[in-house]
Amino acid sequence: MNTRNLILFAGVAGLFVLTGFGWSWNLALSILNMALLSSIMAMGVNMQWGYAGLFNTGVMGFTALGGLAVVVTSARPVAEGWAAGGWTILFSLFLGAATIATAIFLYNRMPKGRPRALTVAAVLLVGLFVFRHFFDPAVAAVEAFNPATYGNIGGLGLPALVAWPVGGLLAAAAAWAIGKTALGLRSDYLAIATLGIAEIIIAVMKNEDWLARGVKNIIDLPRPWPVPYEVALQQNETFLGMAASWGFNPVTGSTITVKLLYAGLFTAVLVLVILLSELALKSPWGRMMRAIRDNEVSAAAMGKDVTRRHLQIFILGSAVIGIAGAMMTSMDGQLTPGTYNPLRYTFLIWVMVIVGGSGNNWGSLLGGMLIGWLWLIVEDLGPGLMGLITSGMADGWLKSHLIDSAQHMRLLTLGVVLLLVLRFSPRGLIPEK
Amino acid sequence: MAEPFLIGQDMTGGYGGADILHSCTIAVEKGEIAVIVGPNGAGKSTAMKAVFGMLNLRGGHVKLDGEDITRLSPQARVRKGMGFVPQTHNIFTSMTVEENLEMGAFIRTDDCADTLAQVYDLFPILKQKRLQAAGELSGGQRQQVAVGRALMTQPKVLMLDEPTAGVSPIVMDELFDRIIEVARTGISILMVEQNARQALEIADKGYVLVQGANRFTDTGKALMADPEVRRSFLGG
Amino acid sequence: MDFLNALVAFLNFVFIPGLAYGSQLALGALGVTLIYGILRFSNFAHGDTMAFGTMVTILVTWAMQSVGIGFGPLPTALLALPFGIAATAVFLLLTDRVVYRFYRQKKAAPTILVIVSLGVMFVMNGVVRLIIGVDDQDFADGERFIITAGEFKTATGLAEGLALKTTQGVTVITAVITVAALFWFLQKTRTGKSMRAYSDNEDLALLSGINPDRVVQVTWILAAALATIAGVLYGLDKSFKPFVYFQLLLPIFAAAIVGGLGSPLGAIAGGFVIAFSEVMVTYAWKKVATYLLPESMAPEGLVQLMSTDYKFAVSFAILIIVLLFMPTGLFKGKSV
């Protein structure tokens, strides 16, 4: 940490303080929480790109899987849904997995040629029909139960904090499967492949209503310990007493308290991630990782198993993204698959990594906080600002169009910021040491 | 003595790091064949690339027909009348033979049909295969395409970087015959060769390079006769 | 068994939509593959280039409609298309001058160029949304159908109807003309050949005196034309929505990679492979099967392999299969 970096961080902190004083602390804290989550995601991407040179454009998918984990882990179980077909669904999913495993096994074991192709195809086809035979009616049964409120199997009803590591695990499992198939590919093929997988994950989450109600959304997910509900706080005697003695409005105070607690939790996770990845980076493992990134051929020639290392870091980075995704869904209290958008959840994170400085955790943190702030502040203040700019104009089509489109300015702005950084400071604000 | 048609004089330089060439001089007269030979790593190809402007010289100069071209880019040298056939990747594999030749004539604004006919006369097999993708041809035929492509600009000097690398002895002899034919039309030939003995046999002038410097320079015949050259570089 | 009706149902619900969609994908993939072949990077901004070109075309179409210019039974957008292409070409050439040229001269790694194209993607995305907004725009006018299902039924007496939308006909014909023109350009003209030469062997192309700046400029102009045409055809056939165009990136890249990146012929083949797989896997075959099978064996379910929502999964699965088993694609592409 040198003076320059300290000034940069102080500057970003200043932006948040300014937001607090200038507009509201509520807004400043909302932005802070999202920025913290984005920073953690940026660190996950940074592990993959900065340490290993893996071009993952499926960030959105891992984020969403983290969100799904929250539902699966901490949502209240829907006993009727389970009874209607939960076990059959699980059984058919197992059948599906077994089919794919058999096909892969046969593919690896049988000699190359027409018989192998036909057998594998036959196994897959039969497997698909058997799978659909059990799966379809079970899904219909589950989704038939009280579709306005449920129509799904619900979760395990475990505490929300448990869901965070589960989010990491779910993302890691997906990353393992993706890595096994796609990591051998060239860098831009990997990018296309991960982009596609992310879209598929979102498609599954939107359409498999039995799982998490799809686009009908799941709401009222439990809050993680120790975050209370605002309503509960407002009725809490101690809290009201504090509000009275310190002289703040209990309603505003309660929302700010909740947000502060989230910020504390997120910061704890963030510090843990930074600590662990800095330690890992300085270990022999981290040095080897960078050696592989800088010269894959010579690292392979020295007997390093490049693909295996890549798989490791791909899984680790994706797990970090998954944890952040779970935390985000926990904070929102709801899972809304329709809101996942690659521009926001994949490419924005990439901008954070590049602008902050790839290969450097502190850079990702700075980039996440700065770009996160920029993105959200424009969302909240853009229309007002545009209103101010256009206040001299006559009311009419153009004025209302400009005010409406203010929020799209941020895409443009971010694109320009990314291009400027790439051109004039390609190593980012805090370059790798 | 009049200056040679093409001369790279006292060339010193390398690809950025340490110098590879040390005051090396290569020259070729009009219509003659000059051959650069020497052990591996002697800087043969580097010397040729220096003449063609593919590396920056720290010292020395290159003159073509009395004109100093030391500062010109390779592309500009092509326009001045130099043709270059790289050792590898010297054809457009996905394009037909005829298209390869057409691309060779890209800088010409006049009609190149005559030159095309001349190249086909020189390499009849290319005429036969003119609509076939160049990448599908045999090694020797590919080299003919590569030489033909370079001839399409009607160069005054043709530079060949190991034209016979990787082709069979029979094909090699045929290629050398063709090269002699090209020289007879008045085109100067400068080539780097691994097959030193056969190359020196057809050479008017031979350069033996060692560690980026001239070791022996003489006519091809004289070098072949020189016992020291024979012992050290031609395997007895 | 009713073979004729089955065939008509197949043509109506699978073949014609697949053909139109495939043409649109093929044109998009051609743009991607050209840029990959010449500039040697995967252009993530291509979907948004399509959106930009379509947007300009829509704006010009509206202007033409407002002054009463029409194209008879054909969509007015076809008249506006040249303006869209020109504007997109200018935009891309400007982008190249301001953004890409710097990295080309530095000989930056392809991955860096991909990230740069992400930046360009953001900018284009912003520009498009700023100007036309995020909503659906339907800009098809003229006759809606060449043949309606009802006309077909009365004419043939078959139970199954065959509808051919004007936009589908326009798509296929425009695509054929565009592809023919592109191939003529690449195969027969001096500039086209020099582009192929540059794509094949850059160093030798430079040695032959081919001007790389000119090759790059022509490539951007062609990419602009292909992207705009693909975008307008897709928009006419379905509708224009900026986000959908961004998402088209996936099937388009799948098509280009399946065909073999850098190979124009492959891009076309890939476009149709992806389009037909998507349509066939997500089509409910019940109708066709009912006509073909004896009554006792008629299927109860929809006979649909996958729900339409998973069409991304189809293009993606094909992409992965091709990449794993033939990494350079169906037609041997580049693997730089």
Side-chain angles (χ1 to χ4, degrees):
Chain A
M1 271 286 154
N2 55 28
T3 338
R4 193 185 110 93
N5 296 352
L6 279 179
I7 293 173
L8 282 171
F9 274 108
V12 172
L15 289 177
F16 283 94
V17 174
L18 204 70
T19 317
F21 280 116
W23 286 277
S24 77
W25 286 100
N26 199 4
L27 176 66
L29 283 174
S30 306
I31 297 181
L32 176 69
N33 283 341
M34 279 314 281
L36 283 171
L37 290 174
S38 305
S39 297
I40 299 176
M41 294 178 198
M43 280 173 196
V45 172
N46 182 43
M47 285 180 187
Q48 297 172 340
W49 169 248
Y51 296 180
L54 297 177
F55 198 177
N56 172 13
T57 50
V59 183
M60 170 181 75
F62 298 112
T63 309
L65 278 178
L68 182 64
V70 176
V71 174
V72 172
T73 320
S74 64
R76 199 183 67 78
V78 181
E80 297 87 343
W82 268 106
W87 293 109
T88 323
I89 288 179
L90 279 192
F91 172 69
S92 53
L93 287 179
F94 168 77
L95 274 183
T99 306
I100 292 171
T102 316
I104 293 175
F105 176 80
L106 286 174
Y107 183 83
N108 288 332
R109 285 301 168 86
M110 285 176 70
K112 205 175 162 168
R114 188 171 290 254
R116 179 176 79 170
L118 288 177
T119 321
V120 170
V123 166
L124 287 174
L125 204 65
V126 171
L128 177 70
F129 277 103
V130 175
F131 166 75
R132 291 286 295 264
H133 175 75
F134 288 105
F135 186 72
D136 289 359
V139 164
V142 171
E143 287 175 4
F145 170 71
N146 198 357
T149 346
Y150 298 114
N152 68 331
I153 55 175
L156 298 170
L158 294 171
L161 275 184
V162 179
W164 296 1
V166 172
L169 283 178
L170 204 58
W176 175 81
I178 296 165
K180 272 284 176 194
T181 38
L183 270 186
L185 304 175
R186 278 179 26 209
S187 58
D188 37 354
Y189 285 2
L190 179 68
I192 303 287
T194 43
L195 190 69
I197 289 166
E199 290 290 349
I200 293 173
I201 290 174
I202 299 298
V204 170
M205 284 173 54
K206 275 184 183 170
N207 293 295
E208 300 304 319
D209 286 9
W210 58 269
L211 185 60
R213 305 196 69 230
V215 285
K216 287 182 274 180
N217 304 339
I218 285 223
I219 53 166
D220 285 338
L221 290 166
R223 287 206 165 157
W225 178 90
V227 185
Y229 284 89
E230 287 86 346
V231 190
L233 262 187
Q234 285 160 25
Q235 285 159 359
N236 183 311
E237 289 300 326
T238 336
F239 182 77
L240 287 176
M242 269 164 65
S245 61
W246 291 0
F248 59 82
N249 178 340
V251 177
T252 330
S254 64
T255 54
I256 288 185
T257 311
V258 166
K259 282 180 177 156
L260 274 175
L261 284 171
Y262 273 124
L265 281 176
F266 296 164
T267 310
V269 175
L270 184 93
V271 168
L272 196 69
V273 171
I274 291 197
L275 204 68
L276 288 178
S277 58
E278 283 290 309
L279 281 177
L281 200 59
K282 290 192 173 66
S283 72
W285 182 85
R287 280 197 297 275
M288 177 177 64
M289 225 59 220
R290 276 181 294 179
I292 290 176
R293 178 197 63 186
D294 293 337
N295 194 335
E296 233 171 79
V297 179
S298 76
M302 286 183 330
K304 310 290 182 207
D305 188 344
V306 175
T307 317
R308 202 179 143 77
R309 298 295 146 217
H310 277 175
L311 186 63
Q312 276 178 352
I313 200 115
F314 189 68
I315 291 175
L316 279 177
S318 304
V320 169
I321 300 169
I323 292 172
M327 296 198 289
M328 192 178 74
T329 303
S330 270
M331 181 176 72
D332 291 344
Q334 54 181 351
L335 181 68
T336 49
T339 55
Y340 288 97
N341 171 335
L343 287 174
R344 163 69 182 85
Y345 289 102
T346 295
F347 296 117
L348 187 68
I349 307 294
W350 266 92
V351 175
M352 292 170 179
V353 174
I354 304 280
V355 168
S358 45
N360 189 318
N361 283 312
W362 301 106
S364 300
L365 177 60
L366 183 76
M369 300 307 283
L370 177 64
I371 301 295
W373 179 82
L374 201 68
W375 180 261
L376 291 163
I377 199 84
V378 174
E379 179 173 73
D380 283 304
L381 302 179
L385 201 67
M386 197 53 116
L388 210 67
I389 294 171
T390 54
S391 59
M393 288 169 62
D395 280 341
W397 170 81
L398 186 62
K399 183 172 174 176
S400 60
H401 179 77
L402 280 176
I403 292 175
D404 284 346
S405 59
Q407 53 164 325
H408 308 311
M409 278 299 288
R410 58 186 180 171
L411 287 171
L412 195 72
T413 319
L414 275 177
V416 172
V417 167
L418 178 62
L419 290 176
L420 288 177
V421 167
L422 280 170
R423 173 74 171 260
F424 297 107
S425 173
R427 301 181 54 198
L429 291 174
I430 307 183
E432 187 185 355
K433 284 180 277 285
Chain B
M1 183 185 128
E3 201 166 49
F5 184 66
L6 170 69
I7 180 162
Q9 201 153 28
D10 300 325
M11 298 183 296
T12 302
Y15 300 101
D19 286 343
I20 298 172
L21 297 177
H22 304 282
S23 193
C24 174
T25 298
I26 305 285
V28 58
E29 295 289 349
K30 201 154 184 63
E32 287 195 351
I33 300 177
V35 174
I36 308 172
V37 297
N40 281 333
K44 302 186 294 282
S45 288
T46 310
M48 174 124 94
K49 283 176 181 160
V51 173
F52 193 58
M54 288 166 87
L55 70 154
N56 287 328
L57 289 181
R58 285 201 309 112
H61 60 260
V62 183
K63 277 187 175 176
L64 177 71
D65 205 5
E67 187 188 349
D68 192 326
I69 55 167
T70 318
R71 299 274 150 243
L72 291 187
S73 68
Q75 284 83 350
R77 291 180 206 218
V78 172
R79 285 173 202 275
K80 290 278 177 198
M82 296 172 76
F84 181 68
V85 181
Q87 184 183 347
T88 54
H89 302 292
N90 51 19
I91 54 168
F92 300 111
T93 48
S94 66
M95 303 176 82
T96 65
V97 170
E98 187 147 304
E99 284 172 339
N100 265 276
L101 299 179
E102 278 175 41
M103 284 301 109
F106 193 81
I107 55 168
R108 287 178 56 180
T109 46
D110 54 333
D111 187 26
C112 59
D114 290 346
T115 322
L116 194 65
Q118 284 167 17
V119 170
Y120 282 149
D121 282 345
L122 190 62
F123 303 114
I125 186 78
L126 296 190
K127 186 166 192 174
Q128 255 181 52
K129 308 216 166 199
R130 65 184 215 279
L131 297 180
Q132 211 169 324
E136 294 167 3
L137 303 183
S138 71
Q141 290 164 351
R142 281 162 171 248
Q143 291 297 17
Q144 296 185 14
V145 174
V147 174
R149 187 204 62 82
L151 286 175
M152 288 302 291
T153 49
Q154 293 183 307
K156 296 174 211 149
V157 183
L158 183 63
M159 309 186 26
L160 306 158
D161 194 351
E162 302 205 11
T164 63
V167 303
S168 69
I170 300 168
V171 174
M172 180 172 81
D173 284 345
E174 202 195 321
L175 265 175
F176 279 150
D177 286 347
R178 295 285 176 273
I179 289 166
I180 294 170
E181 265 183 67
V182 172
R184 288 213 184 105
T185 62
I187 298 174
S188 311
I189 308 259
L190 176 62
M191 67 177 174
V192 169
E193 256 304 329
Q194 200 66 255
N195 301 306
R197 186 186 291 269
Q198 292 86 340
L200 285 177
E201 261 171 27
I202 65 162
D204 297 298
K205 194 83 171 271
Y207 295 87
V208 181
L209 296 194
V210 175
Q211 289 181 339
N214 298 78
R215 174 68 66 87
F216 301 99
T217 306
D218 212 324
T219 61
K221 281 205 179 62
L223 286 175
M224 293 283 285
D226 186 324
E228 202 184 335
V229 174
R230 292 180 69 101
R231 197 172 53 247
S232 314
F233 304 107
L234 303 176
Chain C
M1 184 162 143
D2 189 348
F3 183 72
L4 261 185
N5 273 319
L7 182 69
V8 171
F10 173 78
L11 287 177
N12 193 28
F13 293 109
V14 177
F15 186 73
I16 293 176
L19 198 65
Y21 183 42
S23 310
Q24 292 148 9
L25 285 188
L27 289 178
L30 271 173
V32 164
T33 229
L34 262 188
I35 291 179
Y36 188 86
I38 304 280
L39 296 152
R40 300 184 161 78
F41 72 96
S42 306
N43 182 14
F44 270 53
H46 200 73
D48 288 294
T49 310
M50 284 168 61
F52 182 86
T54 314
M55 175 195 73
V56 175
T57 310
I58 291 176
L59 295 178
V60 176
T61 306
W62 286 344
M64 286 180 162
Q65 284 168 342
S66 69
V67 295
I69 301 176
F71 202 11
L74 294 174
T76 315
L78 288 182
L79 286 180
L81 192 56
F83 297 95
I85 295 174
T88 314
V90 170
F91 192 91
L92 287 186
L93 287 175
L94 218 67
T95 313
D96 184 70
R97 179 69 189 74
V98 181
V99 183
Y100 293 118
R101 198 175 73 154
F102 171 77
Y103 300 96
R104 195 161 55 243
Q105 285 168 351
K106 251 183 41 179
K107 297 202 182 300
T111 332
I112 299 299
L113 275 165
V114 174
I115 296 179
V116 171
S117 80
L118 288 182
V120 174
M121 178 191 86
F122 265 102
V123 172
M124 283 190 147
N125 221 306
V127 168
V128 170
R129 288 168 192 221
L130 205 59
I131 296 178
I132 204 165
V134 290
D135 301 324
D136 253 313
Q137 310 285 353
D138 192 353
F139 60 102
D141 55 3
E143 287 293 333
R144 249 180 78 62
F145 287 99
I146 297 175
I147 315 169
T148 66
E151 284 166 6
F152 182 85
K153 282 187 209 167
T154 28
T156 57
L158 287 171
E160 203 49 51
L162 181 77
L164 185 60
K165 287 197 288 179
T166 315
T167 53
Q168 290 169 333
V170 165
T171 293
V172 174
I173 291 170
T174 314
V176 168
I177 294 173
T178 309
V179 167
L182 179 71
F183 275 76
W184 172 81
F185 177 79
L186 288 178
Q187 297 293 335
K188 298 291 173 201
T189 66
R190 214 167 103 90
T191 312
K193 285 180 191 173
S194 73
M195 284 175 63
R196 279 164 55 218
Y198 186 87
S199 161
D200 183 314
N201 188 336
E202 187 177 339
D203 291 331
L204 196 61
L206 294 180
L207 268 187
S208 306
I210 291 169
N211 179 356
D213 293 330
R214 197 179 138 77
V215 167
V216 168
Q217 282 165 5
V218 175
T219 307
W220 283 118
I221 294 173
L222 288 179
L226 289 165
T228 308
I229 295 173
V232 168
L233 293 179
Y234 185 87
L236 282 174
D237 198 18
K238 281 132 188 157
S239 77
F240 172 77
K241 192 176 184 191
F243 185 63
V244 172
Y245 276 57
F246 164 78
Q247 283 185 315
L248 275 179
L249 202 60
L250 187 65
I252 282 177
F253 263 100
I257 294 175
V258 164
L261 262 180
S263 155
L265 216 55
I268 297 170
F272 286 106
V273 167
I274 296 289
F276 277 107
S277 324
E278 269 190 23
V279 175
M280 285 166 75
V281 172
T282 56
Y283 174 63
W285 290 92
K286 181 185 168 98
K287 203 168 212 171
V288 176
T290 314
Y291 282 123
L292 282 182
L293 297 171
E295 219 162 288
S296 57
M297 282 171 66
E300 279 172 37
L302 289 170
V303 205
Q304 184 182 21
L305 280 171
M306 269 178 145
S307 127
T308 25
D309 304 299
Y310 291 129
K311 57 176 200 273
F312 281 129
V314 178
S315 37
F316 179 74
I318 295 170
L319 173 67
I320 288 292
I321 291 169
V322 168
L323 280 183
L324 289 181
F325 295 104
M326 31 172 116
T328 50
L330 299 173
F331 290 73
K332 222 169 155 205
K334 281 176 185 298
S335 52
V336 180

